[in-house]
Amino acid sequence: MTDEYDVAVVGAGPAGAAAALAARRAGARVLLLDRADFPRDKACGDGVAAHALDVLARLGVTGAVDGYAPLPRIRLVGPGGGAVARALPRPAYTVPREVFDARLVAAAVAAGAELRRHTVRRVEARDGRVVLDGDLAARAVVGADGAGSVVRRALGEPANPDRHLALAIRGYAPARPGPPEQLIVTSRPRWPAYAWSFPIGDGRANVGYGEVLRGEPLTRAHLLDRLAALLPGTDPAVVTALRAHHLPLSTHRPVSGRGRLVLAGDALSLINPFTGEGIFYALLSGALAGAAAAGDPAHAAGRYAAALRRRLGTHLRHSSVAAWLARRRWVVDGAVRAARRDDRVFGTVVELGLGDGRLDARTLAMIGIGLAARDRPPRD
Ligand SMILES: Cc1cc2nc3c(=O)[nH]c(=O)nc-3n(C[C@H](O)[C@H](O)[C@H](O)COP(=O)(O)OP(=O)(O)OC[C@H]3O[C@@H](n4cnc5c(N)ncnc54)[C@H](O)[C@@H]3O)c2cc1C
């Protein structure tokens, strides 16, 4: 055995960097492993919600979005074509992951984590520690290795099944004219599905399209056709850096850990089923996982499960119920109409989609009124 650490973190995306930061704050000797060198790209909409910045601030990280213009508004187009455009309660940012993730990794290294380029293939729990690839040992391990997690497989947990797994493609295109806003255009065909355009502030926008998988393979040509259909004026021929990736949705999550092994971020299927947002969850779960691994390595999984339940349990239950309701696209049209009329409904929908919000009786009632307000629900 060459090296022994208090905590080893597999994957240095937002979940892994947050885990390393939290474990360092608890005084642990931390190894942060990634198969890539940083900076590295990651297929993503690059949308960073204010909630993500709150978690970073608690970890002592400032400046993650420096140099990028705040996005004060969001426009959501429902599957029936109705739209709501309002100011976000707090601005969002679009920061290319090549920049954002490298900043977080630099913060983890500055806090004392040891960063090493290494692809983890084997994870074994033995003799009161976890051994990676035969010669890296730690008292506890955080699996923050994304949607195809090796650590999750080592826990015996399969990948998310269809209907709880989405596929999305993203690229960079000239930004649309007009004031900067996050644009989300949901799709009537292939529901649930949507396209987005998130301006970066340098003349470009991150554009993309994704849909939930339903047992049939999706081709790149199909994803690009849908992108062009939902974002008229975006010619796929001028979109650069096109890249697709899976999104394991939070409606189907594996066990969050066992013994000295815990999972965070996409490895734990923590992606919001409405918005595809996962950076906030990755940072939050990573921070909780790193703290649990450093604080009580032998019982990291139990401690982490309790912390996750306290912090996100209610929200995840509410977002699963909301996702179930939203399978009927006319419910989403009702929500768009209600959010257009009522700022509190809008705020609740935003909190549910970008943060850790809950559904409440008033919002449900307002959506009900929104449903009745116009057309009868079309038949599927
Ligand atoms: C097209 C698309 C658009 C999205 N848009 C948004 C958005 O706008 N806003 C938002 O909040 N979320 C968005 N998401 C979700 C978001 O990208 C993820 O939720 C987020 O990246 C999760 O962070 P993570 O740290 O868990 O995983 P990742 O960011 O995937 O990081 C995992 C890291 O682990 C490393 N790794 C993997 N396997 C190994 C291994 N065996 N050994 C060592 N290292 C390994 C990888 O190199 C990677 O660096 C989007 C996702 C997609 C696919």
Side-chain angles (χ1 to χ4, degrees), residues 194-249:
Y194 75 86
W196 69 86
S197 174
F198 295 166
I200 296 172
D202 61 0
R204 295 177 303 153
N206 180 313
V207 296
Y209 167 80
E211 67 181 57
V212 173
L213 296 175
R214 277 169 299 187
E216 64 203 70
L218 296 180
T219 63
R220 179 183 165 99
H222 165 75
L223 296 172
L224 291 178
D225 280 354
R226 294 305 303 144
L227 173 68
L230 291 168
L231 295 180
T234 303
D235 173 4
V238 302
V239 181
T240 60
L242 280 164
R243 200 164 173 178
H245 199 77
H246 283 114
L247 295 90
L249 305 178

Side-chain angles (χ1 to χ4, degrees), residues 10-16 33-36 38 40 42-47 97 101 118-120 144-147 150 168-170 196 198 245-247 264-267 270-271 276-280 282:
V10 184
L33 299 166
D34 203 289
R35 65 184 174 198
F38 285 78
R40 62 102 181 86
K42 151 82 175 78
C44 186
D46 302 336
R97 293 288 298 276
D101 289 19
H118 178 97
T119 303
V120 172
D145 46 344
V150 167
I169 194 163
R170 76 88 232 254
W196 69 86
F198 295 166
H245 199 77
H246 283 114
L247 295 90
D266 282 11
L270 281 178
I271 294 194
E277 287 267 336
I279 295 174
F280 161 61

